Amino acid sequence: MAATMRNPPQETELTALKNVKLFQLDVTDSQSIAKAYEAIRMEYWTVDVLLNNAGYALFGPLELSTEDQIRRAYDTLLLGTTLVTCQFIPMLRENGGGSIISLSSVGGVLVMSVYPYNWCKF
């Protein structure tokens, strides 16, 4: 099984599993995506399931978020997931099918507030 992450050398749990091989992949870097795709293709020749599970957490009031923080969130959560999926779709087609699973944070559905409702007055 192939697993990808930004910093494989920092991983300790997956490296303990015999049937998992780690590959470096940063979803915000097109070259990293292409390089991981080629390495996985050379190692396994096929992919049956693509699991998109990249995350980026941005906490605090929206108006205090910097443009860079907002762009990094979009680059990771939307653009990155889309680019990885686009890269692997041809391989899934060659195989005659497969599954694409994209996980999301509960933060996209549920708002969690640590402030009283009247913390911000307009």
Side-chain angles (χ1 to χ4, degrees), residues 102-114:
S102 295
L103 300 178
S104 178
S105 166
V106 69
V109 180
L110 175 67
V111 176
M112 295 171 273
S113 176
V114 295

Side-chain angles (χ1 to χ4, degrees), residues 42-94:
M42 292 300 293
E43 180 77 22
Y44 296 100
W45 295 95
T46 186
V47 169
D48 299 315
V49 177
L50 172 63
L51 173 63
N52 289 308
N53 190 31
Y56 181 87
L58 182 59
F59 297 100
L62 181 62
E63 70 269 18
L64 296 180
S65 301
T66 66
E67 182 177 339
D68 182 56
Q69 290 172 318
I70 295 167
R71 287 186 188 281
R72 287 177 54 203
Y74 273 87
D75 285 350
T76 301
L77 301 172
L78 181 61
L79 184 60
T81 298
T82 303
L83 292 176
V84 171
T85 301
C86 288
Q87 182 75 57
F88 280 85
I89 283 175
M91 186 188 296
L92 294 169
R93 273 204 186 103
E94 287 175 17

